[in-house]
Amino acid sequence: MNKPGEIRLLALGLIRDGDRIFVSEGYDPVKQETFYRALGGGVDFGETSRAALEREFQEEIQADLTNIRYLGCIENLFTFNGRQGHEIIQLYQCDFADPKFYQLESLIFSESETHKHKALWIDIARFKSGKFRLVPEVFFEYL
């Protein structure tokens, strides 16, 4: 989450396998709501968004990416944990280089010592039906 008054630049990777996408599970304790988002993370100063995407996947789940293609830029204004957030997302479509990731149902990864997250494959139909919440909602335009 960004500091108050700060705009955060992210690089996220949309990985699709047939009718399912690979996403990270999040939880907002104030809203008491589970949500899902493409994996990736912050772009460091002096780093391209593509390099950040590859670094984040390597750091978080030790995965190399292939067939990386820029999709577009998304501006995301949101509220998380009772605080307003503002993100500029550089969105990429990509594939896992190692086919083993397509066989997984889910995996646990750490963004830090205290923040563990779950990544999993979810059928796109579950998002479209409203059963699961995909954020930001504009991601639907890229599916």
Side-chain angles (χ1 to χ4, degrees):
M1 182 75 181
N2 48 323
K3 298 173 194 156
E6 180 181 85
I7 299 172
R8 187 165 178 229
L9 177 60
L10 299 177
L12 301 182
L14 191 57
I15 300 180
R16 187 172 180 162
D17 180 38
D19 292 332
R20 62 188 191 148
I21 58 173
F22 196 72
V23 291
S24 172
E25 184 178 86
Y27 182 75
D28 186 327
V30 171
K31 296 177 187 172
Q32 297 184 0
E33 178 180 82
T34 299
F35 60 90
Y36 299 88
R37 185 183 86 175
L39 269 72
V43 178
D44 293 335
F45 182 81
E47 179 180 47
T48 66
S49 60
R50 182 184 169 129
L53 176 75
E54 293 179 281
R55 175 184 51 76
E56 287 286 343
F57 269 81
Q58 192 54 235
E59 287 176 0
E60 292 178 353
I61 62 171
Q62 293 74 55
D64 291 322
L65 300 174
T66 188
N67 303 322
I68 301 170
R69 186 171 66 89
Y70 182 71
L71 292 177
C73 182
I74 298 169
E75 187 166 14
N76 185 28
L77 300 169
F78 62 96
T79 302
F80 174 75
N81 203 17
R83 290 180 40 210
Q84 185 176 2
H86 190 170
E87 299 170 333
I88 303 294
I89 299 168
Q90 295 292 76
L91 183 62
Y92 291 86
Q93 180 177 339
C94 49
D95 295 316
F96 287 116
D98 188 336
K100 77 176 183 186
F101 286 98
Y102 294 99
Q103 308 306 316
L104 298 173
E105 283 192 34
S106 67
L107 59 89
I108 304 297
F109 68 95
S110 298
E111 283 189 359
S112 67
E113 299 271 330
T114 57
H115 290 94
K116 293 203 181 299
H117 294 280
K118 181 175 169 180
L120 65 162
W121 290 101
I122 296 182
D123 286 332
I124 295 167
R126 297 179 98 177
F127 292 118
K128 289 184 176 176
S129 74
K131 181 174 174 122
F132 287 76
R133 183 165 179 248
L134 182 64
V135 297
E137 290 184 11
V138 71
F139 272 20
F140 282 111
E141 294 176 18
Y142 296 94
L143 297 178

